[in-house]
């Protein structure tokens, strides 16, 4: 009973006293905003870089490969600080938007490889069928190849989004109070390490679990038309 009473006391001190739970709630909002915007921008960037990597034009091909190599070869925290403290140092934007841009640049490199692999996985016969119907290369790509590729790569894109949510835990480096940073503040204020860290882990787990279930439901809907 003493142990349970101590648990209650620690829980109260970490989350209830001085309304410290609001730090966590605000942190959840920051994490979700950053991850969602980064995911949308990352898909756009990834699609454009994938087209560059698949292009027969050497200049575009070089741009795609250099971008992918640099982003995948450097730590995301370093990229975040370069974007925040160097690229956008004199630009008046909300911190969370700048952070989302930094994460989208990072995610775009990985998404581009996912999309490239998805496009290459579509049978060449589909392209030939489109061209035989009178569609040009661009129309065939956008109307026939890309829709089929997107369905094939959806699980991989979902995994990338899940990874992105967890990677946002480093936004504290640029002064944003996300879930992780909120936990750190509570830990500093209460001198309790276990409860804030466990609380942070539980919140991330619940977010990821809900996201996983949602993505699984969408994927199941996309697969309804498949014949097995």
């Amino acid at each position: 009973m003493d142990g349970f009473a101590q648990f209650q006391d620690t829980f109260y001190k970490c989350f209830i006293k001085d309304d410290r739970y609001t730090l966590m709630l605000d942190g959840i909002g920051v994490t979700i905003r950053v991850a969602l915007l980064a995911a949308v921008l990352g898909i756009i960037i990834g699609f454009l870089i994938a087209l560059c990597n698949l292009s027969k034009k050497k200049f575009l091909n070089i741009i795609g490969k250099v971008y992918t190599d640099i982003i995948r070869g450097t730590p995301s925290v370093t990229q975040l600080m370069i974007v925040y403290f160097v690229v956008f140092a004199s630009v008046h934007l909300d911190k969370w938007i700048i952070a989302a841009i930094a994460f989208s640049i990072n995610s775009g490199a990985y998404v581009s490889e996912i999309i490239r692999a998805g496009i290459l996985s579509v049978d060449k016969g589909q392209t030939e069928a489109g061209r035989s119907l009178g569609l040009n290369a661009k129309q065939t790509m956008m109307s026939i190849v890309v829709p089929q590729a997107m369905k094939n790569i959806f699980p991989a894109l979902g995994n990338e989004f899940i990874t992105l949510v967890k990677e946002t835990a480093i936004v504290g480096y640029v002064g944003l109070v996300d879930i992780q940073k909120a936990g750190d503040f509570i830990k500093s204020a209460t001198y309790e390490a276990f409860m804030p860290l466990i609380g942070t882990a539980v919140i991330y787990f619940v977010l990821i679990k809900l996201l996983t279930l949602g993505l699984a439901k969408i994927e199941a809907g996309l697969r309804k038309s498949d014949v097995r």
Side-chain angles (χ1 to χ4, degrees):
M1 193 64 182
D2 289 339
F4 182 70
Q6 186 179 359
F7 176 87
Q8 284 183 309
D9 181 63
T10 305
F11 185 88
Y12 175 81
K13 184 166 66 172
C14 289
F15 300 118
I16 308 300
K17 187 179 180 181
D18 297 328
D19 293 332
R20 291 192 178 112
Y21 68 91
T22 59
L23 282 172
M24 285 295 193
L25 292 178
D26 292 340
I28 292 171
V30 170
T31 295
I32 291 174
R33 288 202 306 272
V34 171
L36 282 177
L37 181 57
V40 172
L41 295 178
I43 289 173
I44 294 171
I45 294 171
F47 181 70
L48 294 175
I49 297 300
L51 293 181
C52 287
N53 287 331
L54 291 169
S55 175
K56 293 180 181 178
K57 295 181 180 179
K58 192 172 182 181
F59 176 69
L60 292 177
N61 209 252
I62 290 173
I63 290 176
K65 287 183 178 178
V66 169
Y67 172 86
T68 303
D69 285 345
I70 291 175
I71 298 302
R72 290 169 63 179
T74 54
S76 55
V77 65
T78 304
Q79 296 164 16
L80 173 64
M81 290 193 284
I82 289 173
V83 171
Y84 186 84
F85 292 111
V86 180
V87 179
F88 286 92
S90 58
V91 179
H92 299 291
L93 276 177
D94 289 342
K95 289 182 178 181
W96 75 271
I97 295 177
I98 298 175
I101 292 172
F103 283 114
S104 71
I105 292 171
N106 177 272
S107 181
Y110 297 93
V111 171
S112 69
E113 288 300 289
I114 294 171
I115 293 176
R116 184 181 68 85
I119 290 174
L120 292 176
S121 71
V122 177
D123 192 273
K124 288 184 178 180
Q126 299 293 321
T127 302
E128 294 170 359
R131 299 306 295 271
S132 68
L133 291 172
L135 301 177
N136 59 34
K138 183 179 178 181
Q139 290 171 328
T140 301
M141 175 65 73
M142 300 306 297
S143 301
I144 297 177
V145 177
V146 170
Q148 293 184 64
M150 291 304 290
K151 186 166 70 170
N152 292 337
I153 66 176
F154 184 81
L157 286 178
N159 287 334
E160 174 60 24
F161 185 40
I162 289 171
T163 300
L164 191 57
V165 171
K166 291 185 288 186
E167 282 188 348
T168 60
I170 63 173
V171 295
Y173 280 97
V174 295
L176 274 173
V177 183
D178 67 322
I179 299 169
Q180 184 65 52
K181 196 64 176 179
D184 289 343
F185 280 152
I186 293 173
K187 185 173 64 173
S188 299
T190 61
Y191 298 101
E192 294 283 351
F194 176 79
M195 192 65 72
L197 289 174
I198 292 299
T200 299
V202 168
I203 291 172
Y204 272 114
F205 176 79
V206 171
L207 281 178
I208 297 302
K209 191 63 179 178
L210 292 174
L211 182 58
T212 301
L213 292 173
L215 290 171
K217 208 163 188 178
I218 295 172
E219 184 184 352
L222 292 174
R223 295 295 177 188
K224 280 183 180 179
S225 60
D226 290 354
V227 178
R228 294 291 182 221

